[in-house]
Amino acid sequence: MPTALVVHAHPDDEVFATGAATSVLSEQGWYVVLRVATAGMHGAADHLTNSCALLGIDEWGWLGAADQWIDDGGHNGPRTLAAASPADLAAEVERAVRELEPELILTVGQDGLTGHPDHIAISQAVQRALQHGHCRTLGARVRAHDVRAGEALVQRLAPGQQIGSGHVTGCDVPLEEISGGSEQRRRQALDEYYDGLGSKPLEELIGVHRAGSDGLLLRAVFDATGWRQDRFEELTAWPSDAPSSR
């Protein structure tokens, strides 16, 4: 049975970034393991087990110690992934790779999918870890025109308001698509973290979730373009002479 290692910064990233892909891999007989680096902003790790069961993830555990890093909402505080030593973060990814010997690694793309600094740090840590071994590695991205389609859906319901943080921009480069799995189960997994964000009509969510929320924007992107696919770029090893971004 081949193994896929999924590496994310926060609980809920496994839904937004790779929820369709892990379902497809599970259906194809892969053993899917998630390593997540923080418990999220609101103790969301409590919901991880249910989310993983819905998305075909066989087991999850911490990347590093359970409280080694925290999520402070993107403010780049001293214990966040964005402020962490790149070498330390990469070493924890390498530890997981040695333990699991995966045939495939999934994470977020170079832009962190949403531009979140913790996501970018995770993507770079995975790329640094690739310097010490080869494994096919894919980073989740969204297409720019899909982001525009999601923004248009929210704009019609919340005219004149800022849609999302402005950091979810998408890309125009060719991406590999993994499609399949259950739309209903991905919606249910999102509901594990945010009441109704996966299942309620979008118009009911406006006012409950700020129009400037990236979670609401990504929900709208799924509504506009489909829940049953994820798109990826191929990640390569981080150049050994490249300067740190932090």
Side-chain angles (χ1 to χ4, degrees):
M1 177 183 294
T3 297
L5 170 63
V6 186
V7 184
H8 283 309
H10 315 121
D12 81 13
D13 295 342
E14 82 282 358
V15 187
F16 285 118
T18 52
T22 56
S23 296
V24 172
L25 290 169
S26 178
E27 291 171 358
Q28 293 177 349
W30 288 67
Y31 191 78
V32 184
V33 180
L34 171 66
R35 290 288 182 265
V36 63
T38 80
M41 291 187 63
H42 308 293
D46 294 343
H47 305 284
L48 253 174
T49 299
N50 290 339
S51 173
C52 287
L54 288 162
L55 298 176
I57 297 171
D58 296 284
E59 65 170 90
W60 74 269
W62 299 112
L63 187 73
D67 59 353
Q68 187 167 352
W69 296 293
I70 63 170
D71 175 14
D72 72 351
H75 297 299
N76 300 352
R79 291 182 56 209
T80 62
L81 296 172
S85 159
D88 289 349
L89 199 50
E92 293 300 340
V93 177
E94 290 173 28
R95 188 192 311 274
V97 170
R98 287 196 303 271
E99 173 193 346
L100 297 165
E101 298 183 343
E103 284 79 11
L104 174 67
I105 299 174
L106 299 180
T107 186
V108 289
Q110 297 176 67
D111 66 349
L113 189 75
T114 65
H116 193 298
D118 288 355
H119 295 184
I120 293 172
I122 281 289
S123 182
Q124 292 181 356
V126 171
Q127 291 174 77
R128 285 184 170 91
L130 292 177
Q131 295 174 8
H132 303 286
H134 178 72
C135 176
R136 188 170 191 230
T137 304
L138 301 176
R141 303 285 298 264
V142 289
R143 300 181 300 190
H145 63 86
D146 291 343
V147 175
R148 304 294 88 78
E151 289 173 338
L153 280 184
V154 180
Q155 187 67 58
R156 286 199 290 268
L157 299 170
Q161 296 189 40
Q162 176 177 322
I163 310 303
S165 66
H167 299 299
V168 182
T169 58
C171 65
D172 295 313
V173 299
L175 300 173
E176 177 177 337
E177 181 176 300
I178 298 178
S179 60
S182 166
E183 174 179 332
Q184 180 182 8
R185 291 170 74 84
R186 193 175 195 180
R187 287 180 180 272
Q188 290 173 334
L190 192 53
D191 282 348
E192 284 290 325
Y193 296 105
Y194 311 100
D195 183 30
L197 187 58
S199 60
K200 290 181 179 178
L202 192 60
E203 53 267 27
E204 291 185 20
L205 298 173
I206 301 294
V208 177
H209 299 271
R210 296 177 297 103
S213 160
D214 286 339
L216 184 67
L217 173 57
L218 288 174
R219 154 64 197 268
V221 169
F222 293 156
D223 282 354
T225 65
W227 287 74
R228 298 180 64 247
Q229 68 275 320
D230 295 318
R231 295 181 175 88
F232 297 91
E233 64 181 356
E234 193 103 25
L235 295 181
T236 57
W238 188 262
S240 59
D241 58 350
S244 172
S245 64
R246 298 180 295 289

